[in-house]
Structure formats: C-alpha cells, structure tokens
Amino acid sequence: QSALSQPRSVSGSPGQSVTISCTGTSSDVGGYNYVSWYQQHPGKAPKLMVYDVSKRPSGVPDRFSGSKSGNTASLTISGLQAEDEADYYCCSYAGSYSLRVFGGGTKLTVL
Amino acid sequence: EVQLVESGGGLVQPGGSLRLSCAASGFTFSSFVMHWVRQAPGKGLEYVSAISSNGGSTYYANSVKGRFTISRDNSKNTLFLQMDSLRAEDMAVYYCARVGNGGTYYDYWGQGTLITVSS
C-alpha cells in the first residue's frame, strides 16, 4: 500500500488560510469517507484534528475543516495562529484487514 | 482521563528482539480496537499492526508481517508488540493508539517509545 501524497510544506501569515491536500486512490481516500487528519508538534504525539473527512472532535477549533473530492482530501486551517505551526498528516482507511495508510506529512510554517 | 503509556524501547542489535508494552487507563480497554503506529526519525507515520477488542483478530503491515506479533491482556489493560528479527529499517518511535468508536480514526495516542536498531 503506497503512502498518500501530501505537499512537503505550506506556509501562511497569521490570520490567513491555508489548505493541505492529501491524494490517494480509489482504494483508500476515494473509496471511503474515512479520512482523518493529525497535528504533530516536534517531539510530541499526533493529535486528532478531523475525522471521517469533515468531522471535528470536541475541543478542536472550528478553524480546522476537512473536505474531500474524488481521490483527494483537504484540510483547511483558517485564521492561522502561531500555535498551528506543526506537521500535519492525513490518514485513510484502506479497506482490508484494518489497514490504514498515512500521508508523508506536511510542515506548516506560520510566517 | 484517557492515558496510554508505552514502555520497552531501547537499543537492540539487528536480528534481535524486543517487546513493547502500552499501559492503558481512563477507559474500558477491552471495548476498543488498538493499533501500533511507528515513525522513523525525521519521517512520517506508518501503520504497523492492529488488534480487535477481544484480541481474537490481528492484522499487520506487510513490512512487519511474520516478524512482529501484537497481543493484549484485557485483564491488565495492556497492549503488547513482540518484535523479532529486527532490522535497521524498524528503527522508529512506536506509538500505541486507540481507535475511536467510529472505527475509522485514532482518537488517543501514547507518547511513544524509541527503538534503535544498531550494532
């Protein structure tokens, strides 16, 4: 199972919006509405930000939103804040035997 | 409060073995599917293995199949990963992660334990 494709880096200024894409195939992203996004600060464990494409866990600001079109999912962060600077990973259910596939990660820099 | 605490990491020679543990608290451990996910130094996340809530079903990534064994002891709220025939490419931080009620995402992660494979 190949990793999902994410841009290596994105950047934006405080208050702006950025979108991180996550491209897979019809066997993962395109085949299920089970894409999740994780934020990871250096040296820390990942934190769930969005699940099932567009749902937010309690406690996650509504500045974080998810969507999907075909084989590509997206995470949009609006009203960028300094604390949003982190690595972001997408993850998709891939059908068989509880398999999950992750993206390579995107480093978000808040300028 | 949900807590997942991994232990058992360390330095091991290529071909060696190591057993990781993940102690769970703050929730009914026996009701949740659990996974192991790893992250090589400076790299992204990689699914390693999964186990059903009662331990009756186990799954593995192709990269570790036949070398790693996942198990759990629901009486002790603990998840395990037995790693044999370790290779340099297995060097990573290993996280245990709880699969959320929807079954499609990880809602809680441990802090991770580092495995170094080197002679």
Side-chain angles (χ1 to χ4, degrees):
Chain A
Q1 193 76 21
S2 299
L4 306 176
S5 180
Q6 296 182 233
R8 293 289 294 267
S9 64
V10 297
S11 63
S13 299
Q16 289 186 332
S17 294
V18 295
T19 296
I20 300 171
S21 62
C22 170
T23 301
T25 70
S26 58
S27 296
D28 37 65
V29 174
Y32 310 91
N33 288 323
Y34 297 145
V35 176
S36 50
W37 290 89
Y38 302 88
Q39 176 192 67
Q40 187 180 37
H41 288 108
K44 301 294 187 181
K47 175 187 175 184
L48 177 66
M49 304 303 286
V50 168
Y51 68 99
D52 292 353
V53 174
S54 60
K55 299 177 182 177
R56 266 188 318 275
S58 61
V60 173
D62 59 7
R63 302 185 295 104
F64 292 83
S65 62
S67 62
K68 192 188 86 167
S69 177
N71 295 337
T72 298
S74 298
L75 175 72
T76 298
I77 310 169
S78 58
L80 272 177
Q81 299 182 3
E83 58 262 35
D84 298 334
E85 185 163 293
D87 293 325
Y88 290 84
Y89 293 91
C90 61
C91 178
S92 176
Y93 178 73
S96 59
Y97 304 113
S98 208
L99 180 62
R100 303 288 192 273
V101 60
F102 284 93
T106 298
K107 181 176 179 57
L108 168 63
T109 301
V110 180
L111 301 170
Chain B
E1 179 193 6
V2 171
Q3 283 200 316
L4 299 170
V5 180
E6 301 94 337
S7 60
L11 174 64
V12 61
Q13 292 186 339
S17 298
L18 216 52
R19 190 193 199 202
L20 305 184
S21 299
C22 170
S25 61
F27 65 102
T28 304
F29 179 70
S30 60
S31 296
F32 287 85
V33 172
M34 298 294 295
H35 286 203
W36 287 99
V37 177
R38 69 184 180 184
Q39 186 171 34
K43 302 296 185 182
L45 300 168
E46 180 189 14
Y47 160 84
V48 173
S49 183
I51 188 167
S52 61
S53 57
N54 65 5
S57 298
T58 58
Y59 310 95
Y60 301 93
N62 288 337
S63 56
V64 306
K65 199 171 295 183
R67 300 187 299 120
F68 289 12
T69 303
I70 190 172
S71 61
R72 64 192 296 162
D73 184 340
N74 285 345
S75 69
K76 296 183 178 178
N77 294 337
T78 305
L79 175 72
F80 302 101
L81 186 68
Q82 177 67 41
M83 303 185 296
D84 298 321
S85 303
L86 282 162
R87 306 167 179 167
E89 55 264 35
D90 295 320
M91 185 162 65
V93 173
Y94 284 72
Y95 295 99
C96 63
R98 190 182 86 167
V99 175
N101 277 324
T104 59
Y105 53 91
Y106 302 111
D107 58 356
Y108 288 95
W109 298 67
Q111 86 288 350
T113 187
L114 176 63
I115 309 305
T116 302
V117 183
S118 176
S119 54

